[in-house]
Amino acid sequence: MERELGRGTLAHGWDEEQGWTLLRVRALIIRLFRVEYTVQGVRKLLRRHGWTPQVPARRALERDDAAVERWRSEVWTR
């Protein structure tokens, strides 16, 4: 399974934009091993084998840091 995840989403027919999601990993497990897991079961399985959620490597081009900071200081504090 780890080898297949390492090949990436593109190798399995998905785009690389979103990367591996729990639903995609679940579908891959069903396709390769003909075993069904719930989404929570997939999360636990991945966690048990050392896979952790990742933060996106890049930020959105449309991101407005000034607006984010303004929201943090005005709205979040309430």
Side-chain angles (χ1 to χ4, degrees):
M1 184 70 198
E2 189 166 340
R3 183 182 69 236
E4 293 302 320
L5 291 174
R7 290 179 57 207
T9 55
L10 192 59
H12 293 285
W14 290 291
D15 63 27
E16 291 186 5
E17 277 297 310
Q18 201 173 16
W20 286 113
T21 63
L22 291 175
L23 289 174
R24 287 179 176 186
V25 174
R26 180 179 184 271
L28 185 64
I29 291 171
I30 292 169
R31 187 182 323 148
L32 295 177
F33 304 107
R34 302 189 194 296
V35 175
E36 289 202 32
Y37 280 91
T38 64
V39 173
Q40 303 310 30
V42 170
R43 183 184 60 76
K44 289 177 183 178
L45 179 70
L46 291 174
R47 180 67 120 183
R48 192 170 29 232
H49 290 277
W51 288 75
T52 59
Q54 301 295 310
V55 176
R58 55 193 156 102
R59 290 186 176 189
L61 294 174
E62 302 83 11
R63 182 182 169 111
D64 181 354
D65 288 325
V68 171
E69 191 54 45
R70 198 169 36 256
W71 181 87
R72 261 192 210 140
S73 64
E74 296 171 8
V75 178
W76 181 253
T77 55
R78 284 188 244 150

